[in-house]
Structures are given as structure tokens and as C-alpha cells.
Amino acid sequence: MDNHCHAIGMEILTLDLMAHRCPLALLIVKRKCRDLLSTQKLEIKVLADGTQMDIIRYLKNNGFILDIQAENTYQLVIFVKKGL
């Protein structure tokens, strides 16, 4: 867990989409992010394929703050917060 987030009381939720592809994966991200509170951070794990690009594009276009933690040929792990 990110110590900085823990120190300021930020709750970290996890969304494991390794078994899903678009469009279902993107739909799940949209629903989860819609309900994200300003005191929460969402960790998204997704396979490194076209699905990750769709998810990143959606999040950036909708004002979310992204922090890419791991990106390799197998998976992408990003943390998402609601924008200001």
C-alpha cells in the first residue's frame, strides 16, 4: 500500500481485469470510476493489449489523474484518482 495514501486516509480499491477484454473491461472501469470518491484511489490491473489503451484514453479524456505503476508486455497497473 502507498504510505502517502495511507497517511492521508486515502482508501485504495483494486480492480483486477486480467481476465477481461474490451468492451467489458472498459465498461467495468467506467462504472467503478463513476462511483469513485475523492478519498479513494483505484488500482486497475489489466492485460497489456488494446484494452489498456482504451482504458487509458477514457480515463484521460474524463479528467481522472493517472499514475502508471507497472507497464510491461504482460500487464499494466495504474492508480486512478478523481480529478479536481
Side-chain angles (χ1 to χ4, degrees), residues 63-79:
F64 291 95
I65 300 168
L66 307 180
D67 182 10
I68 297 176
Q69 294 293 307
E71 186 174 15
N72 56 48
T73 57
Y74 177 65
Q75 74 173 355
L76 171 72
V77 178
I78 55 177
F79 283 96

Side-chain angles (χ1 to χ4, degrees), residues 1-77:
M1 179 183 288
D2 185 318
N3 289 333
H4 176 69
C5 288
H6 183 66
I8 60 172
M10 183 154 300
E11 178 185 10
I12 299 177
L13 309 172
T14 300
L15 187 56
D16 187 345
L17 298 173
M18 296 296 286
H20 300 284
R21 300 232 189 286
C22 271
L24 182 58
L26 181 57
L27 179 63
I28 293 169
V29 167
K30 287 180 180 181
R31 286 182 179 166
K32 193 69 169 181
C33 287
R34 177 187 63 210
D35 299 331
L36 199 61
L37 302 174
S38 60
T39 58
Q40 296 173 321
K41 201 175 202 183
L42 178 62
E43 177 187 24
I44 301 172
K45 296 178 183 180
V46 65
L47 284 175
D49 63 5
T51 301
Q52 73 178 10
M53 297 311 298
D54 291 340
I55 290 172
I56 290 172
R57 186 178 312 113
Y58 167 78
L59 293 169
K60 285 183 177 180
N61 288 341
N62 287 280
F64 291 95
I65 300 168
L66 307 180
D67 182 10
I68 297 176
Q69 294 293 307
E71 186 174 15
N72 56 48
T73 57
Y74 177 65
Q75 74 173 355
L76 171 72
V77 178

